[in-house]
Amino acid sequence: MTKKLSPQQVIELIDSKADLIVPIANGEPIRLLDILEENAAQLDGVKIHQMLALRSRSYIQGEIEQLRHVSYFLSGATRKVYQQAKMELVPNNFHEVPRMLQKVTKMSMVLTVASPMDKHGYFTLGTQADYIAEFIGKVPFILEVNDHMPRTYGRNQIHISQIAGYVEHHAPLSEEKVPEVSDKDLLIASTIIQDIQDGDTLQIGIGAVPNAVISMLKDHRHLGIHTEMLPDGVAKLVAAGAVDGSRKYTNPGKIVATFAFGSKNLYDFIDDNPAVEFLPVSVVNDPREIAKEKNIVSINATTEVDLFGQCASETVGGKYYSSSGGQIDFARGVRFAENGKGYICMASTAKNDTISRINLQLTPGSVVTTGKNDVDNIVTEYGVARLHGVSISERVKRLAAIAHPKFREELLFDAKKHGILI
């Protein structure tokens, strides 16, 4: 008996008031979501829960009353909709999303893209494990089989007996638009590189600075990778002999991630590559698991820092832009690791040096992502402010020292005026 589904059979599997779970990035099933939109008149009160939606859709825009989007991380497809108060955003730390979904939703069905079935009856979730892999065998899955999805290893295998059915839709995967690396990014990266030792294990976030860091690591040796998102440059580090994972404390020899998003070169690299393992985010981003890597180095970005060291990494100019993601997961994980180091990076200014990104207080409306007690190092093009275990007064001095020179005197004056600088 075939498990290949017609559009009508897909709709018949969706209960009234269902909570549907859709994964992040390229796990987003284009055809299955098309089917839901095209047949929405047959649905009733269905919610679709997802982080980082890739495509703008009618239901996301609030134009289909039977379907509602619930976001756990905003993207270009959802940002304006949220800012117009047309959809919900649920605060979270990435590693807690699977448990949160179990608590706050009915977990009716998981809809996801998968690589084709092998001779043993197994599909893989390809570029994904994220918050859905944990539910394999526990929640019904409908797969969208795509020949372009790489076949991967880890805890993201699903047998045909564990799915409610599948459809087919073969399309190239979306690719990340790599931001151009600026001179400031290179200066920030060069500061971080000085602290990275042979044998360290790296978590590298998304953006220009992480890309710049990767480009400077080719002469290092025995590096490991334990990261939420697997970025493009890791394949080049493996080819250069910089990454072999031989000194990792967990999953030695393996590149560990919870999802991958990059170019076709990255997708080709992970295809049928047993050195890369995709594990659930509840494992990869759990601070207790991260802390087992004694020499873990975490590199992430922010948009604004106040003189206490609080980082607003999910708002821009006081408006919501994304969400917390895994920044605090790794900020806490490296704190518990024996030799852990955490770096949060940003250019010192915005809008052609007219606005300082280091300020006495965060912009009104901004949300703290990494708090003053969890932050380790802040890096700008002017250097690094090492904040862990440092008094507020000393933090003021160190943060002012890495601000743009035109704002330093004003920052110190304001701090003195408000009684936080001795």
Side-chain angles (χ1 to χ4, degrees):
M1 178 180 175
T2 181
K3 286 198 171 184
K4 188 172 182 178
L5 303 172
S6 67
Q8 185 57 39
Q9 288 173 316
V10 170
I11 295 299
E12 289 171 358
L13 287 170
I14 310 299
D15 294 333
S16 175
K17 305 295 191 294
D19 286 304
L20 306 181
I21 314 301
V22 171
I24 200 168
N26 277 305
E28 180 179 296
I30 299 171
R31 180 60 188 138
L32 285 172
L33 293 177
D34 284 346
I35 290 171
L36 296 186
E37 288 193 324
E38 291 163 3
N39 298 275
Q42 299 182 57
L43 300 174
D44 173 38
V46 172
K47 290 184 178 181
I48 299 176
H49 302 260
Q50 185 185 13
M51 297 180 81
L52 196 66
L54 286 184
R55 296 164 186 83
S56 179
R57 286 182 167 272
S58 295
Y59 81 86
I60 289 176
Q61 300 295 324
E63 297 169 0
I64 300 177
E65 63 178 275
Q66 298 91 343
L67 290 171
R68 285 177 58 193
H69 180 78
V70 181
S71 179
Y72 294 75
F73 194 101
L74 298 179
S75 67
T78 57
R79 195 167 294 126
K80 287 184 179 179
V81 182
Y82 175 75
Q83 292 171 355
Q84 294 166 355
K86 293 181 180 179
M87 56 166 259
E88 296 175 86
L89 173 64
V90 181
N92 64 87
N93 293 317
F94 197 5
H95 87 277
E96 296 175 310
V97 170
R99 186 170 61 178
M100 182 182 293
L101 289 170
Q102 287 178 299
K103 281 187 173 182
V104 303
T105 81
K106 295 193 286 287
M107 297 295 298
S108 309
M109 190 83 67
V110 176
L111 310 182
T112 184
V113 180
S115 62
M117 185 175 66
D118 68 10
K119 64 181 180 180
H120 304 293
Y122 284 92
F123 305 85
T124 82
L125 303 181
T127 55
Q128 312 300 124
D130 60 56
Y131 44 87
I132 65 168
E134 193 161 312
F135 305 128
I136 293 173
K138 302 173 185 177
V139 175
F141 275 63
I142 301 179
L143 305 183
E144 179 171 297
V145 177
N146 185 350
D147 286 343
H148 296 268
M149 180 60 86
R151 181 166 201 84
T152 57
Y153 291 80
R155 284 161 56 181
N156 66 345
Q157 323 287 311
I158 185 165
H159 193 264
I160 191 167
S161 64
Q162 297 172 311
I163 68 172
Y166 70 91
V167 300
E168 292 185 359
H169 178 78
H170 307 295
L173 304 188
S174 294
E175 299 184 43
E176 179 202 3
K177 294 179 180 178
V178 179
E180 190 172 328
V181 175
S182 68
D183 291 340
K184 289 182 180 180
D185 298 326
L186 292 171
L187 286 169
I188 293 168
S190 64
T191 296
I192 297 170
I193 288 295
Q194 295 175 36
D195 286 355
I196 298 178
Q197 307 297 317
D198 287 351
D200 283 349
T201 293
L202 308 179
Q203 178 265 322
I204 303 174
I206 189 170
V209 170
N211 289 337
V213 170
I214 288 172
S215 72
M216 297 179 179
L217 287 171
K218 292 179 182 177
D219 293 330
H220 281 64
R221 288 295 177 264
H222 309 301
L223 296 174
I225 303 292
H226 181 107
T227 190
E228 66 176 58
M229 188 194 86
L230 188 65
D232 227 61
V234 169
K236 293 179 181 178
L237 291 182
V238 172
V243 168
D244 64 14
S246 59
R247 297 185 186 174
K248 290 182 69 186
Y249 290 84
T250 64
N251 307 290
K254 302 293 185 182
I255 294 168
V256 170
T258 200
F259 76 103
F261 192 49
S263 70
K264 188 176 184 302
N265 290 335
L266 176 66
Y267 305 144
D268 289 342
F269 171 72
I270 65 175
D271 184 40
D272 200 28
N273 186 346
V276 182
E277 291 199 343
F278 290 92
L279 304 180
V281 71
S282 55
V283 175
V284 175
N285 280 41
D286 187 331
R288 294 164 295 188
E289 190 73 15
I290 294 164
K292 294 176 184 177
E293 289 295 342
K294 295 182 182 181
N295 302 310
I296 183 87
V297 178
S298 172
I299 304 166
N300 287 295
T302 193
T303 62
E304 190 179 3
V305 176
D306 71 11
L307 290 181
F308 294 97
Q310 298 181 116
C311 301
S313 307
E314 54 201 275
T315 48
V316 176
K319 291 186 177 181
Y320 241 110
Y321 188 84
S322 54
S323 191
S324 305
Q327 186 171 120
I328 192 62
D329 293 340
F330 279 89
R332 288 176 175 162
V334 300
R335 177 63 46 79
F336 296 128
E338 187 173 310
N339 302 306
K341 304 169 190 172
Y343 300 86
I344 297 183
C345 314
M346 65 177 185
S348 66
T349 59
K351 295 188 177 180
N352 297 317
D353 296 338
T354 61
I355 297 175
S356 178
R357 285 182 163 169
I358 298 176
N359 295 292
L360 174 68
Q361 297 174 325
L362 299 175
T363 303
S366 295
V367 171
V368 175
T369 304
T370 300
K372 69 185 191 310
N373 299 344
D374 293 306
V375 72
D376 192 5
N377 302 292
I378 303 292
V379 190
T380 74
E381 70 271 26
Y382 293 104
V384 56
R386 304 186 189 278
L387 303 184
H388 185 221
V390 171
S391 72
I392 290 173
S393 184
E394 183 63 25
R395 285 176 179 227
V396 170
K397 297 172 188 176
R398 294 186 183 190
L399 286 166
I402 64 167
H404 191 285
K406 68 189 280 187
F407 296 107
R408 291 175 187 172
E409 186 176 343
E410 181 183 356
L411 286 169
L412 293 172
F413 176 83
D414 286 346
K416 189 79 171 177
K417 181 180 177 181
H418 283 79
I420 61 171
L421 175 61
I422 297 173

